[in-house]
Amino acid sequence: MTHKPLTLGDKLTPVLASANEVRSPSKLSAAARNTAFYLLNLVLLAAIITLPVWWFTMRPDIDENLVLVLLAALLIFWFIVYLRSKTNTRTARPPRPRIHDLLANDRQGFMRDLRLDAKTAVFDGSNIYHFGRSNGLDAQPLGELAHQLRAKGYRIVSFFDANIFYTLNEDGAFPREQAHSTKLLEDIFGLSANEIYVVPSGNQADKYILESLKHLPISFAVTNDLYRDYAKSYPTVMKDSQWRKGVVVSKNGVRLR
């Protein structure tokens, strides 16, 4: 019976092998080879150590050159076995499953618990902040829209570029000496800690937003960015006009387009 994922973590986390798969014949044979190589290594090392000790202590009637040849042969054989054992170990070890970026870089740890059956508003936090700034409203549009959608039953996920703290600081949103923290963004934008996702330095929030839309079935982006550079990478996400809602300022305040 196929397990139907309930959360984003279920959907994006690779399924771990079951107990039967772990003890499959191929893995058992790999373990047997590892054991064989280990024992052979021990035998060869014992022989390499024992041969010169035996020759020096017993002084048998054997040509010294022959002993040296035997010792060199044992060393070469041991080196070959050692290299083969390392190769076998690397081959037998299963690849480590890669954690999806949405989960791996989630400092707040809330993304994996997002339910797939809940409706989600995915904010382009930096974009909406710049929009508010250009209209003399600073952080107001993002906070106001998040409050409106939250009241309508939407879960809020707001992505910010890594430089959001420096941008806010330059704009005088908080004192220069104040430490950067998620709590700052909570206070400035009126968001909860489990609604804030700051992407790693050197990454654009755009891809994280589109990845969220791709994997969350009932979701749309709140942004004025059209993401034209990503149209070929995310054709299923951007196939109609429902995937994003722009923001406008009207006489009645801030609203979605």
Side-chain angles (χ1 to χ4, degrees):
M1 182 176 179
T2 304
H3 170 67
K4 185 177 180 180
L6 298 177
T7 66
L8 189 63
D10 293 339
K11 188 174 183 180
L12 299 182
T13 302
V15 179
L16 298 178
S18 65
N20 291 333
E21 290 173 326
V22 171
R23 298 187 64 81
S24 63
S26 61
K27 292 183 179 179
L28 287 175
S29 61
R33 286 197 301 273
N34 282 337
T35 303
F37 278 123
Y38 178 74
L39 293 174
L40 186 55
N41 263 303
L42 285 180
V43 171
L44 289 171
L45 284 173
I48 290 168
I49 294 170
T50 303
L51 180 62
V53 173
W54 170 78
W55 190 82
F56 278 114
T57 56
M58 302 301 293
R59 291 292 180 177
D61 190 18
I62 299 177
D63 184 57
E64 179 182 350
N65 291 330
L66 179 59
V67 174
L68 292 175
V69 170
L70 286 173
L71 186 60
L74 285 171
L75 284 168
I76 293 170
F77 189 33
W78 169 81
F79 186 67
I80 293 171
V81 171
Y82 175 77
L83 291 179
R84 288 294 301 273
S85 67
K86 287 295 183 183
T87 304
N88 182 70
T89 301
R90 286 195 297 270
T91 305
R93 186 181 297 124
R96 183 176 297 176
R98 183 180 179 276
I99 302 175
H100 194 283
D101 287 345
L102 280 174
L103 304 182
N105 298 314
D106 177 16
R107 302 175 192 175
Q108 305 303 107
F110 66 91
M111 291 294 289
R112 66 173 57 253
D113 296 324
L114 299 183
R115 289 187 62 88
L116 301 178
D117 58 359
K119 53 185 184 179
T120 308
V122 181
F123 277 73
D124 186 344
S126 297
N127 176 270
I128 301 303
Y129 170 69
H130 288 300
F131 166 78
R133 182 75 177 167
S134 64
N135 283 276
L137 299 173
D138 292 339
Q140 180 186 336
L142 197 158
E144 187 174 322
L145 289 170
H147 177 71
Q148 292 174 15
L149 290 169
R150 202 184 294 118
K152 294 179 180 180
Y154 281 88
R155 179 182 50 200
I156 306 300
V157 178
S158 187
F159 287 93
F160 293 94
D161 292 318
N163 65 356
I164 184 62
F165 293 106
Y166 298 98
T167 302
L168 290 168
N169 185 267
E170 289 296 321
D171 293 341
F174 61 89
R176 187 174 298 275
E177 65 275 7
Q178 190 165 349
H180 299 173
S181 68
T182 304
K183 187 65 172 62
L184 272 176
L185 302 183
E186 293 178 48
D187 296 338
I188 291 171
F189 294 105
L191 299 171
S192 300
N194 61 356
E195 296 176 336
I196 297 171
Y197 193 122
V198 180
V199 305
S201 179
N203 292 263
Q204 287 188 317
D206 300 357
K207 186 175 180 180
Y208 283 77
I209 292 165
L210 291 167
E211 280 292 320
S212 296
L213 298 179
K214 176 181 176 181
H215 295 292
L216 293 172
I218 315 170
S219 62
F220 65 85
V222 179
T223 180
N224 282 341
D225 194 337
L226 297 176
Y227 301 135
R228 290 191 176 94
D229 293 342
Y230 295 90
K232 291 183 179 179
S233 302
Y234 296 91
T236 57
V237 172
M238 304 164 67
K239 64 182 178 181
D240 54 41
S241 60
Q242 301 301 312
W243 70 275
R244 64 174 286 276
K245 296 183 186 297
V247 179
V248 295
V249 177
S250 65
K251 293 180 180 179
N252 296 324
V254 182
R255 64 179 179 83
L256 295 178
R257 191 187 303 275

